[in-house]
Amino acid sequence: MAGKPKLHYTKGRGKMESIRWLLAAAGVEFEEEFIETKEDLEKLRNDGVLLFQQVPMVEIDGMRMVQTRAILSYIAAKYNLYGKDLKERAWIDMYVEGTTDLMGMIMYLPFQPADTKENNLALIIERATTRYLPVYEKALKDHGQDYLVGNKLSWADVHLLEAILMVEECKPDALSAFPLLQAFKGRISNIPTIKKFLQPGSQRKPPTDEKFVAVVRKIFNI
């Protein structure tokens, strides 16, 4: 009998957060086994369950999946969030890679030296508002639909909402020049499964703070 997917990661966002988002959007309940110490990570490595000695790792459908992109692709395909054909899948992949790049910049900001954070934050905001968000605004305008690809919810939409909320944590008025993205944010946030994930008490993790940075440095020896 297949149980709930089990997620192995730290108690923070990191690379696992997009996996949590996608499972939640698909309406899939999941369990989490947190890595809280260096010993927890070493045990997983010594047990031979991490293909490349790295997390995230997700136990799903009898597999122990690693590599964030592979996990996300599998979940998207399994729950019909990956388009109806190869062309739609290609567009979803392109949009997802864009939001992955943007979220990666934000994800690593708390781990950067204090004297470079201000400049890096400014760079993130500049890239978000001139390189990334305009692409999605134009995509919605050209497509003329409520969603980025096809006319139904896909992984690309879920990922974009996650990215938008992360950008707004850096700059609350980031969407001021993007009316279609403002409307998109409202629509996607109100999809029942996503709305539930956005409520307090869900498995969504808070922004990374200094306390969590210290925990991660200790676990991963960085």
Side-chain angles (χ1 to χ4, degrees):
M1 186 183 94
K4 296 176 185 175
K6 184 184 278 190
L7 282 48
H8 296 263
Y9 202 66
T10 60
K11 265 188 181 171
R13 287 185 181 177
K15 292 189 173 184
M16 186 65 90
E17 190 70 357
S18 291
I19 297 167
R20 297 182 185 111
W21 264 89
L22 198 58
L23 285 168
V28 179
E29 292 185 4
F30 56 88
E31 298 173 350
E32 299 193 77
E33 193 162 303
F34 294 116
I35 296 166
E36 300 186 71
T37 64
K38 190 187 272 191
E39 289 70 32
D40 291 341
L41 179 62
E42 282 307 311
K43 184 177 187 311
L44 283 175
R45 287 173 170 164
N46 293 336
D47 288 349
V49 299
L50 301 179
L51 192 61
F52 299 109
Q53 308 289 309
Q54 294 171 312
V55 288
M57 189 267 278
V58 174
E59 295 183 63
I60 184 170
D61 295 343
M63 295 184 289
R64 290 185 174 119
M65 292 195 72
V66 296
Q67 297 293 357
T68 310
R69 171 82 203 195
I71 297 166
L72 286 164
S73 298
Y74 182 83
I75 294 166
K78 180 178 170 76
Y79 294 104
N80 201 23
L81 294 167
Y82 210 175
K84 70 179 188 298
D85 55 31
L86 275 174
K87 279 192 176 178
E88 284 196 358
R89 187 167 289 198
W91 278 106
I92 289 167
D93 284 342
M94 285 191 281
Y95 289 142
V96 163
E97 289 299 318
T99 38
T100 298
D101 290 346
L102 176 57
M103 287 194 286
M105 293 174 71
I106 299 170
M107 194 189 306
Y108 292 117
L109 184 65
F111 294 89
Q112 292 167 354
D115 59 344
T116 66
K117 270 186 190 171
E118 197 175 321
N119 285 341
N120 286 326
L121 177 59
L123 178 63
I124 287 167
I125 292 166
E126 188 266 329
R127 288 272 172 86
T129 54
T130 64
R131 179 180 293 188
Y132 293 103
L133 295 180
V135 169
Y136 300 101
E137 180 81 3
K138 184 176 186 300
L140 290 167
K141 183 180 179 184
D142 292 350
H143 190 39
Q145 305 285 0
D146 287 348
Y147 306 102
L148 285 170
V149 180
N151 195 22
K152 67 189 289 287
L153 182 71
S154 77
W155 173 21
D157 301 303
V158 179
H159 221 239
L160 176 56
L161 178 60
E162 183 188 359
I164 285 171
L165 296 181
M166 287 178 73
V167 170
E168 287 185 329
E169 287 169 355
C170 298
K171 183 176 169 57
D173 65 347
L175 293 188
S176 59
F178 304 104
L180 296 181
L181 284 177
Q182 290 175 38
F184 172 89
K185 175 190 165 187
R187 279 195 307 276
I188 307 302
S189 296
N190 277 300
I191 292 169
T193 52
I194 294 175
K195 189 173 184 177
K196 184 180 175 186
F197 187 62
L198 291 172
Q199 299 302 311
S202 80
Q203 287 166 294
R204 186 181 178 215
K205 301 298 180 273
T208 300
D209 58 17
E210 287 183 17
K211 187 178 174 185
F212 183 67
V213 167
V215 170
V216 170
R217 289 193 189 283
K218 205 168 180 181
I219 293 171
F220 295 98
N221 201 26
I222 54 174

